[in-house]
């Protein structure tokens, strides 16, 4: 890998003092975006690139060099004026396919976080991984490096469903990888599912749930398939080659997933996430609870003290700007009080812990009372919590309260 730069990048983008003043009083995490994938999945619209798409314009080495510079510059910015640089309470390495970096590459990523921001005692450190680019040696290496959680993209146990999604791993590999991670000492292992793919049958979903539960994981994320504009899947749906996901089918699938996971002791703590007690993903909770985070890497988004910004998307431009001494910020926005309120309602209401009634305006409380009467929310002491039916219609519930 490249050598560490002698000086951090000098940022043209600066955070105002009032955004910095509260740093450390809110949860603080680091998100690292790895933009590399071996192949492009048909449903994915994330900021990712295959080797063929990048050519010689960027590489894992130039990306890591840029990442080190960005993290150093970020620590310098948050520590401006003699402030204490916040240690990362959580780190999440996502993508893309972080496991393509190998165990040694992911160890280097965590080393860059340690040398810039540092890790708080008991920090949660997660990496996403593709089952096909993992092995027992990979898991042992990243566990020794300090990673504490692994999230594996399973999506489905049915081969024909994986083909529709353009996933390259074989059925069964995700479960094997989860067991390897646990054998390497990971107490926290997540499997990601996608449900509602065209051609998926009830028996396919049941087989996927059987496989998930046989893996002994303590966390499951399950997402309904969304056909994103500009993806290969969207083009196939538009041409009539595949049917669009059916809302009634998606609702039935969700109920089936929730029932099976609940029977196994995994309870929902966010609409699309289930865990055993104590195994919730602290990094994601930080997002939902309005914490601060520095998002490093091409296209990564950050938020500190009501200011949000996002990086340029292409890995070559990202690395070039950092090499020239400038943070690769594409644009930024300062959230108004109303913006922050709307986002809080949108995020906190998705949590099992719900939202305090006191956070709502009189008009919003009146709308919430109607939603309670409709059976979509329930009042638990002084908080509003989605009912089982309300989870199926969470976006509509939130719109009704905010309208």
């Amino acid at each position: 890998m490249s050598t560490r730069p002698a000086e951090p990048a000098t940022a043209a983008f600066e955070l105002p003092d009032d955004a910095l003043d509260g740093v450390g009083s809110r949860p603080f995490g680091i998100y690292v975006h790895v933009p590399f994938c071996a192949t492009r999945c048909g449903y994915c619209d994330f900021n990712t690139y295959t080797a063929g798409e990048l050519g010689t314009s960027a590489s894992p080495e130039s990306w890591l060099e840029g990442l080190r510079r960005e993290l150093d510059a970020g620590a310098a910015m948050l520590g401006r004026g003699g402030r204490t640089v916040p240690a990362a309470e959580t780190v999440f390495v996502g993508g893309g396919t972080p496991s393509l970096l190998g165990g040694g590459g992911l160890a280097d990523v965590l080393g860059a976080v340690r040398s810039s921001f540092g890790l708080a005692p008991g920090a949660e450190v997660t990496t996403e991984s593709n089952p096909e680019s993992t092995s027992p040696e990979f898991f042992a290496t990243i566990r020794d490096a300090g990673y504490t959680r692994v999230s594996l993209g399973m999506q489905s146990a049915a081969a024909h469903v994986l083909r529709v999604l353009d996933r390259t791993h074989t059925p069964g590999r995700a479960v094997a990888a989860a067991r390897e991670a646990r054998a390497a000492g990971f107490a926290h292992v997540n499997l990601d599912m996608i449900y509602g793919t065209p051609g998926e049958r009830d028996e396919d979903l049941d087989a996927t749930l059987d496989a998930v539960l046989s893996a002994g994981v303590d966390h499951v994320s399950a997402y309904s398939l969304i056909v994103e504009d500009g993806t290969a899947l969207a083009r196939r749906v538009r041409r009539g080659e595949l049917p669009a996901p059916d809302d009634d089918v998606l609702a039935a699938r969700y109920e089936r997933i929730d029932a099976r996971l609940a029977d196994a002791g995994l309870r929902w703590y966010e609409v699309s996430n289930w865990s055993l007690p104590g195994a919730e993903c602290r990094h994601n909770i930080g997002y939902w609870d309005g914490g601060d985070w520095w998002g490093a890497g091409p296209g990564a988004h950050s938020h500190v003290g009501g200011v949000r910004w996002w990086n340029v998307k292409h890995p070559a431009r990202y690395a070039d700007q950092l090499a020239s001494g400038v943070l690769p910020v594409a644009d930024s926005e300062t959230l108004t009080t109303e913006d922050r309120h709307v986002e809080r309602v949108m995020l906190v209401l998705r949590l099992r812990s719900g939202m305090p009634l006191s956070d709502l305006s009189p008009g919003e409380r009146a709308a919430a009372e109607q939603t309670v009467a409709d059976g979509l929310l329930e009042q638990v002491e002084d908080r509003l919590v989605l009912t089982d039916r309300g989870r199926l219609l969470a976006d509509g519930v939130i719109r009704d309260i905010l309208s």
Side-chain angles (χ1 to χ4, degrees):
M1 293 293 183
S2 304
T3 58
R4 181 182 174 79
E7 298 293 336
T10 301
F13 167 78
E14 286 287 351
L15 281 167
D17 284 339
D18 59 353
L20 293 173
D21 287 343
V23 171
S25 64
R26 300 176 293 268
F28 179 72
I30 301 288
Y31 172 74
V32 175
H33 186 70
V34 180
F36 309 112
C37 279
T39 60
R40 181 172 297 281
C41 298
Y43 62 92
C44 179
D45 70 339
F46 293 165
N47 187 45
T48 62
Y49 305 83
T50 65
E53 289 167 340
L54 284 175
T56 59
S57 67
S59 67
E61 290 76 18
S62 64
W63 167 83
L64 181 60
E65 185 77 21
L67 179 73
R68 286 172 168 146
R69 289 178 181 269
E70 184 183 0
L71 290 172
D72 285 347
M77 182 182 293
L78 298 194
R80 193 178 71 212
R83 295 176 175 85
T84 300
V85 177
E89 299 166 45
T90 63
V91 178
F92 196 104
V93 184
T97 309
S99 49
L100 285 180
L101 300 176
L106 284 172
D108 286 343
V109 169
L110 189 53
V113 174
R114 278 199 179 97
S115 66
S116 52
F117 286 92
L119 295 178
E124 175 193 272
V125 184
T126 306
T127 183
E128 294 179 337
S129 297
N130 185 312
E132 291 294 338
S133 52
T134 64
S135 66
E137 295 75 21
F138 168 85
F139 291 119
T141 299
I142 63 172
R143 185 73 187 91
D144 289 345
Y147 286 81
T148 65
R149 294 179 70 99
V150 172
S151 181
L152 294 159
M154 178 181 185
Q155 319 317 351
S156 175
H160 70 96
V161 173
L162 294 176
R163 284 195 295 273
V164 171
L165 296 173
D166 292 325
R167 295 289 294 186
T168 58
H169 66 268
T170 55
R173 176 56 202 154
V175 170
R179 290 173 177 160
E180 291 167 2
R182 290 178 57 80
F186 282 95
H188 301 304
V189 181
N190 173 67
L191 284 173
D192 269 356
M193 296 173 51
I194 289 179
Y195 61 93
T197 301
E200 180 188 64
R201 304 162 300 185
D202 286 348
E203 53 264 40
D204 297 324
L205 181 66
D206 287 340
T208 299
L209 288 165
D210 289 342
V212 166
L213 296 174
S214 75
V217 298
D218 63 351
H219 192 287
V220 176
S221 301
Y223 304 104
S224 63
L225 180 67
I226 297 175
V227 180
E228 301 284 2
D229 289 342
T231 62
L233 181 63
R235 291 190 288 274
R236 294 183 68 187
V237 170
R238 189 168 58 249
R239 291 194 297 263
E241 297 172 14
L242 294 171
D246 180 273
D247 288 343
D248 291 337
V249 171
L250 293 176
R253 294 271 193 271
Y254 182 90
E255 291 176 329
R256 202 177 191 99
I257 291 166
D258 184 54
R260 287 289 305 277
L261 295 180
D263 285 346
L266 290 100
R267 71 172 197 166
W268 77 279
Y269 70 96
E270 190 274 341
V271 169
S272 299
N273 289 273
W274 292 255
S275 77
L276 294 178
E280 299 85 356
C281 179
R282 287 162 46 199
H283 185 83
N284 286 342
I285 289 174
Y287 293 150
W288 298 321
D289 270 348
D292 293 331
W293 72 92
W294 191 284
H301 286 232
S302 303
H303 171 266
V304 173
V307 179
R308 182 185 291 119
W309 67 96
W310 48 97
N311 287 344
V312 298
K313 288 187 173 184
H314 199 279
R317 189 177 174 207
Y318 169 81
D320 287 347
Q321 288 200 8
L322 284 157
S324 67
V326 178
L327 275 177
V329 175
D331 206 350
S332 65
E333 61 180 342
T334 299
L335 302 177
T336 65
T337 300
E338 177 64 17
D339 291 336
R340 296 174 79 167
H341 173 72
V342 168
E343 290 198 359
R344 177 164 172 76
V345 174
M346 290 175 63
L347 296 172
V348 173
L349 262 181
R350 293 178 62 87
L351 296 172
R352 188 185 186 100
S353 54
M355 163 158 276
L357 268 168
S358 58
D359 285 358
L360 300 179
S361 70
E364 289 168 344
R365 289 187 203 178
E369 288 174 4
Q370 181 58 53
T371 310
V372 170
D374 292 339
L376 302 177
L377 285 173
E378 59 181 336
Q379 186 172 338
V380 181
E381 297 179 350
D382 62 345
R383 305 181 76 88
L384 293 170
V385 180
L386 288 168
T387 63
D388 290 348
R389 181 164 162 262
R391 278 188 280 158
L392 297 173
L393 302 168
D395 291 344
V397 171
I398 292 165
R399 282 196 302 271
D400 287 345
I401 289 174
L402 291 172
S403 61

